[in-house]
Amino acid sequence: MKATAKANVNIALIKYWGKRDEELILPTNNSLSLTLDGLYTTTTVHFKSELTEDRFYLDGKQVTGVPYERVTQFLDIVRKEANEENLYAEVRSENHVPTAAGFASSASGFAALAAASTKAIGLELTEEELSRITRRGSGSACRSIYGGFAEWKMGEKEDGSDSYAVQIAPKNFWDIRIAAVILTDEKKSVSSRDGMKRTVETSPFFQGWVESSFTDLTRMKEGIENRDFAMCGEIAEANCLKMHATTLGANPPFTYWTDSTMKVMQEVRKMREEGIPAYFTIDAGPNVKVIYLPEHEEIIQKRLQAIPEVTNITLSKAGDGITYL
Ligand code: DP6
């Protein structure tokens, strides 16, 4: 009863921001992402009859507290699904998502945990079923089941049975790339979980965000289908700005941006004015992800590196979905 799985991180081009059900992790809009190559988590789950509780080790160190709770709560869901409610596991994860790359590892972490634990306990799931159960660990993780472009369909049902991700296009459909731009003045930010909750509950801009995200999604899918880079870039950037605008209307208000974040945004806009196609997107933190095409990699990397506040840049291509090792 042992299995190992590897999952990559993903970056949303149309953001998931807001839940309609916090327990089941059901979103208020569909989101769309690109799974990235080379930034991943590998997890081995070993169910053992002699264990009386789960154990979780991250990069060799035993984990306790809230991160441990999130893992065991997720395993409870897997146990229930498999009718094995008294079977506990040893979980060993290795994170190959350097903190310095500025990605939250929850997407790759929960996708790898879901794949390894469901396989180890003997569940035979389709990718959609795996995505649906992964969603319960962390919403954005349900998109990391797939390589390339994935869409998380919010679904309508109260029990969440129709809320899971599907693949829109495989990784070799279109070689678009993402530069993760890491900044010096990283502040401790509001977690995405808390940030979206506060926004849903208090921001008068939240409804506008939800409504416009549906139009953005339809147009983004059209842009991907036609491999229209300018169209996809413009929509991704605008969608990200609308998501971040909701936080300014929240009570108490907050923002994930710092002045360095804005410097990178300005540089991306400046490159565009000069005819270099590049667009940005930002998640629940100050770092910026820049979307570009391979032929502009060198110049974009150079321009971003020249910004004094930039400490590190990670360049990624599109990556694969879940693999079992
Ligand atoms: C801004 O998936 O981390 O990155 O479901 O509460 O675990 P929970 O939230 P999480 O939120 C990700 C938010 C985002 C946008 C996105 O990835 O779509």
PDB file of all heavy atoms in Angstrom, residues 3-24:
ATOM      1  N   ALA A   3       2.775   4.228  -2.732  1.00  0.00           N
ATOM      2  CA  ALA A   3       2.886   4.784  -4.082  1.00  0.00           C
ATOM      3  C   ALA A   3       3.601   6.127  -4.017  1.00  0.00           C
ATOM      4  O   ALA A   3       3.557   6.826  -3.000  1.00  0.00           O
ATOM      5  CB  ALA A   3       1.502   4.958  -4.698  1.00  0.00           C
ATOM      6  N   THR A   4       4.260   6.469  -5.131  1.00  0.00           N
ATOM      7  CA  THR A   4       4.958   7.754  -5.229  1.00  0.00           C
ATOM      8  C   THR A   4       4.475   8.495  -6.468  1.00  0.00           C
ATOM      9  O   THR A   4       4.337   7.902  -7.530  1.00  0.00           O
ATOM     10  CB  THR A   4       6.481   7.520  -5.343  1.00  0.00           C
ATOM     11  OG1 THR A   4       6.920   6.780  -4.211  1.00  0.00           O
ATOM     12  CG2 THR A   4       7.250   8.840  -5.402  1.00  0.00           C
ATOM     13  N   ALA A   5       4.207   9.795  -6.301  1.00  0.00           N
ATOM     14  CA  ALA A   5       3.750  10.599  -7.439  1.00  0.00           C
ATOM     15  C   ALA A   5       4.488  11.933  -7.466  1.00  0.00           C
ATOM     16  O   ALA A   5       4.956  12.426  -6.439  1.00  0.00           O
ATOM     17  CB  ALA A   5       2.255  10.848  -7.349  1.00  0.00           C
ATOM     18  N   LYS A   6       4.582  12.459  -8.674  1.00  0.00           N
ATOM     19  CA  LYS A   6       5.241  13.753  -8.891  1.00  0.00           C
ATOM     20  C   LYS A   6       4.243  14.722  -9.525  1.00  0.00           C
ATOM     21  O   LYS A   6       3.535  14.346 -10.459  1.00  0.00           O
ATOM     22  CB  LYS A   6       6.425  13.534  -9.827  1.00  0.00           C
ATOM     23  CG  LYS A   6       7.070  14.800 -10.343  1.00  0.00           C
ATOM     24  CD  LYS A   6       8.209  14.487 -11.306  1.00  0.00           C
ATOM     25  CE  LYS A   6       8.656  15.770 -12.000  1.00  0.00           C
ATOM     26  NZ  LYS A   6       9.674  15.537 -13.012  1.00  0.00           N
ATOM     27  N   ALA A   7       4.179  15.946  -9.013  1.00  0.00           N
ATOM     28  CA  ALA A   7       3.279  16.948  -9.598  1.00  0.00           C
ATOM     29  C   ALA A   7       3.998  18.284  -9.727  1.00  0.00           C
ATOM     30  O   ALA A   7       4.759  18.677  -8.843  1.00  0.00           O
ATOM     31  CB  ALA A   7       2.046  17.128  -8.718  1.00  0.00           C
ATOM     32  N   ASN A   8       3.733  18.964 -10.827  1.00  0.00           N
ATOM     33  CA  ASN A   8       4.307  20.296 -11.067  1.00  0.00           C
ATOM     34  C   ASN A   8       3.399  21.410 -10.544  1.00  0.00           C
ATOM     35  O   ASN A   8       2.192  21.201 -10.387  1.00  0.00           O
ATOM     36  CB  ASN A   8       4.486  20.505 -12.574  1.00  0.00           C
ATOM     37  CG  ASN A   8       5.694  19.772 -13.123  1.00  0.00           C
ATOM     38  OD1 ASN A   8       6.797  19.886 -12.587  1.00  0.00           O
ATOM     39  ND2 ASN A   8       5.498  19.007 -14.185  1.00  0.00           N
ATOM     40  N   VAL A   9       3.963  22.575 -10.338  1.00  0.00           N
ATOM     41  CA  VAL A   9       3.144  23.751  -9.990  1.00  0.00           C
ATOM     42  C   VAL A   9       2.392  24.224 -11.240  1.00  0.00           C
ATOM     43  O   VAL A   9       2.718  23.820 -12.354  1.00  0.00           O
ATOM     44  CB  VAL A   9       3.992  24.934  -9.440  1.00  0.00           C
ATOM     45  CG1 VAL A   9       4.804  24.521  -8.226  1.00  0.00           C
ATOM     46  CG2 VAL A   9       4.901  25.505 -10.514  1.00  0.00           C
ATOM     47  N   ASN A  10       1.396  25.052 -11.045  1.00  0.00           N
ATOM     48  CA  ASN A  10       0.726  25.678 -12.195  1.00  0.00           C
ATOM     49  C   ASN A  10       0.516  27.156 -11.910  1.00  0.00           C
ATOM     50  O   ASN A  10       0.486  27.570 -10.751  1.00  0.00           O
ATOM     51  CB  ASN A  10      -0.603  24.970 -12.502  1.00  0.00           C
ATOM     52  CG  ASN A  10      -1.680  25.232 -11.466  1.00  0.00           C
ATOM     53  OD1 ASN A  10      -2.295  26.303 -11.432  1.00  0.00           O
ATOM     54  ND2 ASN A  10      -1.916  24.257 -10.583  1.00  0.00           N
ATOM     55  N   ILE A  11       0.407  27.915 -13.001  1.00  0.00           N
ATOM     56  CA  ILE A  11       0.174  29.357 -12.863  1.00  0.00           C
ATOM     57  C   ILE A  11      -1.148  29.688 -13.546  1.00  0.00           C
ATOM     58  O   ILE A  11      -1.360  29.318 -14.708  1.00  0.00           O
ATOM     59  CB  ILE A  11       1.323  30.144 -13.543  1.00  0.00           C
ATOM     60  CG1 ILE A  11       2.527  30.179 -12.615  1.00  0.00           C
ATOM     61  CG2 ILE A  11       0.939  31.565 -13.928  1.00  0.00           C
ATOM     62  CD1 ILE A  11       2.272  30.912 -11.301  1.00  0.00           C
ATOM     63  N   ALA A  12      -2.017  30.365 -12.814  1.00  0.00           N
ATOM     64  CA  ALA A  12      -3.328  30.686 -13.376  1.00  0.00           C
ATOM     65  C   ALA A  12      -3.248  31.896 -14.303  1.00  0.00           C
ATOM     66  O   ALA A  12      -2.684  32.934 -13.936  1.00  0.00           O
ATOM     67  CB  ALA A  12      -4.323  30.951 -12.258  1.00  0.00           C
ATOM     68  N   LEU A  13      -3.789  31.746 -15.492  1.00  0.00           N
ATOM     69  CA  LEU A  13      -3.916  32.870 -16.432  1.00  0.00           C
ATOM     70  C   LEU A  13      -5.279  33.530 -16.222  1.00  0.00           C
ATOM     71  O   LEU A  13      -5.455  34.722 -16.467  1.00  0.00           O
ATOM     72  CB  LEU A  13      -3.773  32.370 -17.872  1.00  0.00           C
ATOM     73  CG  LEU A  13      -2.458  31.622 -18.174  1.00  0.00           C
ATOM     74  CD1 LEU A  13      -2.446  31.093 -19.601  1.00  0.00           C
ATOM     75  CD2 LEU A  13      -1.243  32.525 -17.929  1.00  0.00           C
ATOM     76  N   ILE A  14      -6.248  32.724 -15.808  1.00  0.00           N
ATOM     77  CA  ILE A  14      -7.532  33.233 -15.295  1.00  0.00           C
ATOM     78  C   ILE A  14      -7.580  32.735 -13.855  1.00  0.00           C
ATOM     79  O   ILE A  14      -7.525  31.533 -13.600  1.00  0.00           O
ATOM     80  CB  ILE A  14      -8.741  32.658 -16.086  1.00  0.00           C
ATOM     81  CG1 ILE A  14      -8.650  33.003 -17.584  1.00  0.00           C
ATOM     82  CG2 ILE A  14     -10.065  33.157 -15.484  1.00  0.00           C
ATOM     83  CD1 ILE A  14      -8.787  34.467 -17.928  1.00  0.00           C
ATOM     84  N   LYS A  15      -7.652  33.658 -12.918  1.00  0.00           N
ATOM     85  CA  LYS A  15      -7.466  33.310 -11.514  1.00  0.00           C
ATOM     86  C   LYS A  15      -8.691  32.674 -10.867  1.00  0.00           C
ATOM     87  O   LYS A  15      -9.825  33.002 -11.215  1.00  0.00           O
ATOM     88  CB  LYS A  15      -7.121  34.567 -10.691  1.00  0.00           C
ATOM     89  CG  LYS A  15      -5.902  35.331 -11.169  1.00  0.00           C
ATOM     90  CD  LYS A  15      -4.635  34.533 -11.015  1.00  0.00           C
ATOM     91  CE  LYS A  15      -3.425  35.344 -11.456  1.00  0.00           C
ATOM     92  NZ  LYS A  15      -2.228  34.487 -11.584  1.00  0.00           N
ATOM     93  N   TYR A  16      -8.401  31.828  -9.912  1.00  0.00           N
ATOM     94  CA  TYR A  16      -9.395  31.322  -8.951  1.00  0.00           C
ATOM     95  C   TYR A  16      -9.300  32.271  -7.763  1.00  0.00           C
ATOM     96  O   TYR A  16      -8.241  32.412  -7.160  1.00  0.00           O
ATOM     97  CB  TYR A  16      -9.000  29.888  -8.596  1.00  0.00           C
ATOM     98  CG  TYR A  16      -9.301  29.396  -7.199  1.00  0.00           C
ATOM     99  CD1 TYR A  16     -10.569  29.533  -6.613  1.00  0.00           C
ATOM    100  CD2 TYR A  16      -8.300  28.734  -6.476  1.00  0.00           C
ATOM    101  CE1 TYR A  16     -10.811  29.037  -5.347  1.00  0.00           C
ATOM    102  CE2 TYR A  16      -8.555  28.227  -5.203  1.00  0.00           C
ATOM    103  CZ  TYR A  16      -9.805  28.390  -4.643  1.00  0.00           C
ATOM    104  OH  TYR A  16     -10.048  27.891  -3.386  1.00  0.00           O
ATOM    105  N   TRP A  17     -10.372  32.939  -7.458  1.00  0.00           N
ATOM    106  CA  TRP A  17     -10.338  33.900  -6.340  1.00  0.00           C
ATOM    107  C   TRP A  17     -11.731  34.014  -5.739  1.00  0.00           C
ATOM    108  O   TRP A  17     -12.562  34.762  -6.229  1.00  0.00           O
ATOM    109  CB  TRP A  17      -9.822  35.276  -6.826  1.00  0.00           C
ATOM    110  CG  TRP A  17      -9.457  36.203  -5.700  1.00  0.00           C
ATOM    111  CD1 TRP A  17     -10.082  37.363  -5.359  1.00  0.00           C
ATOM    112  CD2 TRP A  17      -8.380  36.034  -4.765  1.00  0.00           C
ATOM    113  NE1 TRP A  17      -9.470  37.926  -4.262  1.00  0.00           N
ATOM    114  CE2 TRP A  17      -8.415  37.129  -3.878  1.00  0.00           C
ATOM    115  CE3 TRP A  17      -7.395  35.061  -4.581  1.00  0.00           C
ATOM    116  CZ2 TRP A  17      -7.508  37.279  -2.840  1.00  0.00           C
ATOM    117  CZ3 TRP A  17      -6.490  35.206  -3.544  1.00  0.00           C
ATOM    118  CH2 TRP A  17      -6.552  36.319  -2.695  1.00  0.00           C
ATOM    119  N   GLY A  18     -12.001  33.217  -4.733  1.00  0.00           N
ATOM    120  CA  GLY A  18     -13.301  33.248  -4.071  1.00  0.00           C
ATOM    121  C   GLY A  18     -13.924  31.864  -4.024  1.00  0.00           C
ATOM    122  O   GLY A  18     -13.879  31.136  -5.012  1.00  0.00           O
ATOM    123  N   LYS A  19     -14.467  31.522  -2.844  1.00  0.00           N
ATOM    124  CA  LYS A  19     -15.130  30.220  -2.681  1.00  0.00           C
ATOM    125  C   LYS A  19     -16.609  30.427  -2.404  1.00  0.00           C
ATOM    126  O   LYS A  19     -16.981  31.366  -1.696  1.00  0.00           O
ATOM    127  CB  LYS A  19     -14.524  29.472  -1.491  1.00  0.00           C
ATOM    128  CG  LYS A  19     -13.076  29.068  -1.639  1.00  0.00           C
ATOM    129  CD  LYS A  19     -12.629  28.285  -0.405  1.00  0.00           C
ATOM    130  CE  LYS A  19     -11.174  27.876  -0.447  1.00  0.00           C
ATOM    131  NZ  LYS A  19     -10.224  28.980  -0.241  1.00  0.00           N
ATOM    132  N   ARG A  20     -17.406  29.508  -2.912  1.00  0.00           N
ATOM    133  CA  ARG A  20     -18.824  29.516  -2.516  1.00  0.00           C
ATOM    134  C   ARG A  20     -19.069  28.505  -1.408  1.00  0.00           C
ATOM    135  O   ARG A  20     -20.090  28.528  -0.747  1.00  0.00           O
ATOM    136  CB  ARG A  20     -19.729  29.262  -3.725  1.00  0.00           C
ATOM    137  CG  ARG A  20     -19.621  27.895  -4.363  1.00  0.00           C
ATOM    138  CD  ARG A  20     -20.576  27.804  -5.562  1.00  0.00           C
ATOM    139  NE  ARG A  20     -20.850  26.439  -5.966  1.00  0.00           N
ATOM    140  CZ  ARG A  20     -20.070  25.702  -6.748  1.00  0.00           C
ATOM    141  NH1 ARG A  20     -18.939  26.230  -7.230  1.00  0.00           N
ATOM    142  NH2 ARG A  20     -20.399  24.472  -7.058  1.00  0.00           N
ATOM    143  N   ASP A  21     -18.107  27.594  -1.218  1.00  0.00           N
ATOM    144  CA  ASP A  21     -18.184  26.629  -0.108  1.00  0.00           C
ATOM    145  C   ASP A  21     -16.765  26.376   0.383  1.00  0.00           C
ATOM    146  O   ASP A  21     -15.936  25.834  -0.362  1.00  0.00           O
ATOM    147  CB  ASP A  21     -18.848  25.336  -0.592  1.00  0.00           C
ATOM    148  CG  ASP A  21     -19.058  24.331   0.540  1.00  0.00           C
ATOM    149  OD1 ASP A  21     -18.154  24.178   1.400  1.00  0.00           O
ATOM    150  OD2 ASP A  21     -20.123  23.686   0.553  1.00  0.00           O
ATOM    151  N   GLU A  22     -16.488  26.770   1.616  1.00  0.00           N
ATOM    152  CA  GLU A  22     -15.118  26.672   2.116  1.00  0.00           C
ATOM    153  C   GLU A  22     -14.732  25.266   2.528  1.00  0.00           C
ATOM    154  O   GLU A  22     -13.576  24.882   2.418  1.00  0.00           O
ATOM    155  CB  GLU A  22     -14.930  27.621   3.294  1.00  0.00           C
ATOM    156  CG  GLU A  22     -14.993  29.036   2.815  1.00  0.00           C
ATOM    157  CD  GLU A  22     -14.580  30.020   3.871  1.00  0.00           C
ATOM    158  OE1 GLU A  22     -13.953  29.621   4.860  1.00  0.00           O
ATOM    159  OE2 GLU A  22     -14.914  31.188   3.685  1.00  0.00           O
ATOM    160  N   GLU A  23     -15.699  24.516   3.002  1.00  0.00           N
ATOM    161  CA  GLU A  23     -15.432  23.146   3.438  1.00  0.00           C
ATOM    162  C   GLU A  23     -15.102  22.261   2.219  1.00  0.00           C
ATOM    163  O   GLU A  23     -14.106  21.537   2.202  1.00  0.00           O
ATOM    164  CB  GLU A  23     -16.674  22.648   4.194  1.00  0.00           C
ATOM    165  CG  GLU A  23     -16.749  21.162   4.454  1.00  0.00           C
ATOM    166  CD  GLU A  23     -15.710  20.689   5.466  1.00  0.00           C
ATOM    167  OE1 GLU A  23     -15.231  21.545   6.224  1.00  0.00           O
ATOM    168  OE2 GLU A  23     -15.380  19.476   5.469  1.00  0.00           O
ATOM    169  N   LEU A  24     -15.924  22.372   1.198  1.00  0.00           N
ATOM    170  CA  LEU A  24     -15.731  21.525   0.012  1.00  0.00           C
ATOM    171  C   LEU A  24     -14.767  22.148  -1.004  1.00  0.00           C
ATOM    172  O   LEU A  24     -14.438  21.541  -2.007  1.00  0.00           O
ATOM    173  CB  LEU A  24     -17.080  21.248  -0.664  1.00  0.00           C
ATOM    174  CG  LEU A  24     -18.081  20.420   0.147  1.00  0.00           C
ATOM    175  CD1 LEU A  24     -19.417  20.322  -0.586  1.00  0.00           C
ATOM    176  CD2 LEU A  24     -17.523  19.018   0.404  1.00  0.00           C
TER     177      LEU A  24
END
